[in-house]
Amino acid sequence: MKEENRDTTHFGYKTVESTQKESLVADVFHSVAAKYDIMNDFLSFGIHRLWKRQTVACAGVRKGHRVLDLAGGTGDLTAKFSQLVGDTGQVILGDINDSMLKVGRDKLRDLGLVNNIEYVQMNAQALPFPDNSLDVITIAFGLRNVTDKDEALRSMYRVLKPGGRLLVLEFSKTDNEALSKLYDFYSFNILPNVGKFVANDSESYRYLAESIRMHPDQETLKGMMENAGFEQTSYQNFTGGIVALHRGFKY
C-alpha cells in the first residue's frame, strides 16, 4: 500500500503530515518500551520467539560478519547474532527510539553480551554507514513504522556489501477469511484492553494494530524490495500469513 503523497503519510488509520509521523511513532515506543518484552510474549503467546528463530536461521550469519539489527528494540535478534559472529564480528543494534535502545542495552548487558555489540540511534531512511559495509541487515517488526519505506529500503541496499542480504520480518496479510476475522477481533478488542491492563496504555496498542493493517501485503513489499535493487527476493508466511519473512540479496 503506497503512501498518499510525499507530504502526508499514515499513522495507523490517521492521515498525518510526513514530518509528524516520526515524533508520533516515537511517543508510542517511549510509552511501551519498559513493558515491550512482556507484552510481546503475552500478546503473541510466545510465538514471536519462533518467528525470530526462523529469521536468524535464514540470515546466514557467520563468524566475522558485520550485522545490523535495525529497529532492533530490545535486542532479541542481536543476542543471537552476537553469538554467531564471534569475537571477530560485530552486531549493531540500531533503533530510532532511545528508550528502546536503553532497554535493549540493559537486557543484553545483563546477559553478559558486551564485547561485539554496538548501540546506535539511527533513522532507517538514512543509515549512518559507508556504502558496501554490512554483511546482513535484519529489521523485525519495524518497517511498518518507517515514514518512507522505499527510501529506507534503498538505504539498506546501499550499505549492504555485494552478496549481502536483507531480512524483513513483519506482520502481513492472511487470505484465510476465518483467521482474518478472528485476528481482527483480537487486534481491536483484546489487544488494546490488554495494553491498558498490563502497560497502562491502550492507545499505543491500538495504533500498533492499525499500523499492521496499513502495511503493504506480501507481494507489494516484495516488489518494493525489487524496486530498491534487491534480487532473488522471496517471502515465507508464518501463522497463516499473519507474519511474513521477506528476504532479498544485493549482487
Side-chain angles (χ1 to χ4, degrees):
M1 182 175 297
K2 294 182 179 179
E3 308 292 358
E4 290 185 357
N5 59 56
R6 289 180 178 270
D7 299 319
T8 63
T9 188
H10 295 290
F11 177 73
Y13 288 160
K14 299 175 184 176
T15 299
V16 300
E17 297 294 321
S18 295
T19 53
Q20 291 181 302
K21 181 169 180 177
E22 186 176 310
S23 64
L24 291 170
V25 171
D27 288 342
V28 169
F29 284 93
H30 286 314
S31 176
V32 304
K35 297 289 182 69
Y36 190 76
D37 283 341
I38 293 172
M39 290 294 288
N40 270 355
D41 281 329
F42 197 87
L43 293 171
S44 75
F45 307 101
I47 298 173
H48 76 99
R49 297 179 182 275
L50 299 178
W51 300 331
K52 291 172 181 174
R53 186 180 303 167
Q54 185 63 23
T55 302
V56 172
C58 292
V61 171
R62 302 191 301 273
K63 287 189 180 300
H65 270 179
R66 193 169 186 231
V67 179
L68 170 61
D69 179 14
L70 183 57
T74 58
D76 285 346
L77 293 181
T78 294
K80 300 292 186 184
F81 291 142
S82 173
Q83 297 168 0
L84 291 172
V85 302
D87 293 337
T88 59
Q90 182 187 39
V91 184
I92 302 137
L93 174 54
D95 203 292
I96 198 170
N97 188 280
D98 64 316
S99 295
M100 295 291 284
L101 272 179
K102 289 173 182 174
V103 172
R105 180 192 61 199
D106 291 346
K107 182 172 80 173
L108 294 175
R109 287 180 176 176
D110 287 345
L111 293 173
L113 301 172
V114 295
N115 293 329
N116 58 5
I117 300 174
E118 182 180 356
Y119 303 89
V120 181
Q121 188 172 0
M122 64 181 71
N123 189 323
Q125 295 171 203
L127 295 176
F129 304 104
D131 295 358
N132 308 314
S133 59
L134 300 173
D135 295 287
V136 176
I137 299 174
T138 60
I139 179 167
F141 305 115
L143 186 61
R144 73 182 188 280
N145 297 309
V146 174
T147 302
D148 190 330
K149 299 172 183 61
D150 292 305
E151 185 176 5
L153 289 168
R154 290 192 295 269
S155 184
M156 295 177 215
Y157 183 85
R158 177 185 64 79
V159 301
L160 277 171
K161 295 177 181 177
R165 69 182 75 184
L166 166 68
L167 294 99
V168 180
L169 180 66
E170 188 55 89
F171 291 105
S172 199
K173 304 292 189 292
T174 177
D175 57 7
N176 183 307
E177 186 175 350
L179 180 59
S180 181
K181 288 181 178 179
L182 179 64
Y183 186 46
D184 282 346
F185 177 82
Y186 174 79
S187 297
F188 293 105
N189 294 276
I190 296 175
L191 191 152
N193 287 323
V194 172
K196 183 177 181 180
F197 178 74
V198 177
N200 196 30
D201 184 353
S202 62
E203 287 306 308
S204 290
Y205 285 92
R206 187 173 302 280
Y207 157 73
L208 293 174
E210 292 177 359
S211 70
I212 291 167
R213 301 316 188 280
M214 300 305 295
H215 187 67
D217 63 22
Q218 288 91 325
E219 284 294 330
T220 302
L221 180 54
K222 181 174 182 287
M224 290 168 65
M225 292 173 65
E226 290 167 351
N227 289 339
F230 289 96
E231 299 181 51
Q232 285 187 248
T233 57
S234 62
Y235 62 85
Q236 178 181 1
N237 285 330
F238 300 145
T239 317
I242 287 175
V243 167
L245 175 63
H246 283 70
R247 181 166 53 170
F249 294 82
K250 176 179 177 178
Y251 293 121

